[in-house]
Amino acid sequence: MDFSRFFLIILARRKLILFTLIVTILTTSVVSLLLPKSYKSTATLVLTYKGADPVTGMVSPAQLNSGYMATQLDVIKSTRIALMVVDQLRLDQNDVVRRQFEESGSNLGLREWLAALLLKNLDIETSRDSSVIGISYKGADPAFTSIIANAFANAYQEISIRLTVEPSQKAAAYFTDQLNLLRERLEIAQKKLTEYQQEAGIIDADVRLDIETKRLNDLSSQLVSAQAELMGTVAEQDIKNRRGESSNIAKNAMISNLKLNLSQAESRFSEVSQKLGHNHPSYAGAKAEMEKLRAELNKHIKTTTDSAVSQEREIRAALEEQKARVLALNQARNELYLHFKEVEGAQQAYNSAMQRLNQTSLEGQANLSSVSILDTAKIPDQADSPKLLLNVVLSVILGTLLGLGMGLLAEMIDRRVRSPEDLVDVLHVPVLGVIKKGIPKQKRLQLSWPRLIR
């Protein structure tokens, strides 16, 4: 079907199309006038991005998330906020509401039924790339719509605080319980450390402050000195004073005096032996004095040597005993170090839990919200619906489309010949001529020639 045929159909069915259009417009107008008036009141909220949290000082990027705004819209439309509005306005205590609830026969409770009823007439308006949210409520009473819209705005502001505070309060209770456990653990660790210090007699685990280690070093030095003196004494006894004196013997005054007296006695004996014979009393006296001094010197040297050996043995035994004591002390110090580490770890865990408890306690007590009421809902002075002018404009468009459809449907049911082309399509025969009313015969013959030739 080309445009010319469609235009011919519209001209032929113009009365039906016009009648359909008029009926549609009249019906829409009557229905719009008969429908009850509905009022709409809107409360405007703004989500403020404050950056760093004033309590914790941390920057939360949650508000920069693309799904943050959609989440807030779902929160506003939640049943929990609707129940808060019901409790805030005490709608469940109204006798009229109770009567309507009984008549509805709903299986829900009164509060849940009211919450669902409020959410049906609630509308949330947002704009792209904007932090402003409009909470609108529609109803027959203009004052009631403004009250409900403001109640939803206040409930959303309150729930935003609760959603921030409640996790912090629960975390604070958890940290309080954990803090008690950590305190008990710390007390047990400190008690073990004190008992072990008293049992082992160790004050500090630092080796530099240990007296026993210093005593071991002193005994090691004394042993080295005693061994050196012993080596010098034995060497002197072996070489019989032919290679000099040892430091130990040289420091002995008795031995030095005996050596001096022996040297004098040997000189006197040498002089006497050169002047007198072996049987002379002076020779025998000088020899006896010399032998006596030598015997006393050897006796004192032996005593000194034995004393050096005994001293070296005693120092060695004391050193071995001190070494065993230091080894045992080091083993005890290692265990003490583990106790110190256990106390330090328990103290660190306790301090961390205390810090987190203080932080979460502040967060749980904070009455801060990122939602601010920009404009409160006002009582509307004009009805939001029905909109008569808009409905009439829409009825004109709809009536026109409906009239065209009715015209085409009538044409399909009762097919008429509207042009020569219809005869060609239906009968499949050529058209010899077209007779039109009010047109001269000469022109009618001229108009039929193209069709006859074709």
Side-chain angles (χ1 to χ4, degrees), residues 262-325:
L262 179 60
S263 178
Q264 293 176 359
E266 288 177 351
S267 298
R268 287 195 299 270
F269 178 73
S270 179
E271 292 176 359
V272 171
S273 63
Q274 292 178 1
K275 295 179 181 180
L276 303 175
H278 295 282
N279 296 325
H280 193 275
S282 299
Y283 180 85
K287 183 177 180 181
E289 182 181 4
M290 182 185 66
E291 290 178 354
K292 180 182 179 180
L293 291 174
R294 183 177 287 111
E296 291 181 357
L297 178 61
N298 293 332
K299 179 180 178 181
H300 282 286
I301 291 176
K302 183 178 180 181
T303 303
T304 303
T305 303
D306 294 340
S307 176
V309 172
S310 177
Q311 184 179 4
E312 190 268 343
R313 189 181 299 110
E314 292 177 356
I315 294 175
R316 185 183 296 277
L319 180 63
E320 295 296 331
E321 182 180 357
Q322 186 67 22
K323 186 182 297 183
R325 184 181 304 173

Side-chain angles (χ1 to χ4, degrees), residues 2 35 55 59 75 85 87 124 133 138 186 199 249 296 334 355 361 381:
D2 54 8
L35 284 176
V55 177
V59 178
V75 171
V85 172
D87 296 336
I124 310 298
I133 299 177
K138 295 181 180 180
L186 178 60
E199 180 183 353
I249 296 178
E296 291 181 357
N334 292 334
Q355 183 179 1
S361 298
D381 54 353

Side-chain angles (χ1 to χ4, degrees), residues 175 190 220 306 413 423:
F175 279 116
Q190 289 178 345
S220 298
D306 294 340
I413 295 174
L423 292 175

Side-chain angles (χ1 to χ4, degrees), residues 11-135:
L11 290 179
R13 303 291 180 176
R14 60 184 180 275
K15 294 181 180 181
L16 178 60
I17 295 174
L18 184 59
F19 176 75
T20 305
L21 176 61
I22 293 174
V23 171
T24 304
I25 295 174
L26 291 177
T27 303
T28 304
S29 301
V30 171
V31 171
S32 299
L33 293 175
L34 294 178
L35 284 176
K37 293 184 178 180
S38 177
Y39 296 88
K40 179 180 179 182
S41 184
T42 303
T44 307
L45 304 176
V46 59
L47 302 181
T48 57
Y49 299 156
K50 297 181 180 180
D53 188 85
V55 177
T56 62
M58 299 176 62
V59 178
S60 179
Q63 295 175 341
L64 302 180
N65 191 359
S66 59
Y68 178 75
M69 186 63 69
T71 304
Q72 300 307 309
L73 299 183
D74 293 336
V75 171
I76 297 174
K77 296 180 180 179
S78 63
T79 307
R80 183 177 179 182
I81 289 187
L83 292 175
M84 291 175 61
V85 172
V86 172
D87 296 336
Q88 180 181 354
L89 300 179
R90 299 180 181 179
L91 297 177
D92 54 343
Q93 300 179 6
N94 194 326
D95 296 335
V96 178
V97 174
R98 290 177 179 272
R99 193 178 307 110
Q100 292 178 356
F101 170 70
E102 293 175 357
E103 294 175 356
S104 64
S106 176
N107 296 327
L108 300 175
L110 178 58
R111 297 175 65 252
E112 288 74 12
W113 178 76
L114 282 172
L117 189 63
L118 292 177
L119 290 176
K120 287 181 180 179
N121 298 325
L122 186 67
D123 188 18
I124 310 298
E125 299 176 356
T126 58
S127 58
R128 186 177 180 182
D129 299 333
S130 177
S131 303
V132 178
I133 299 177
I135 300 178

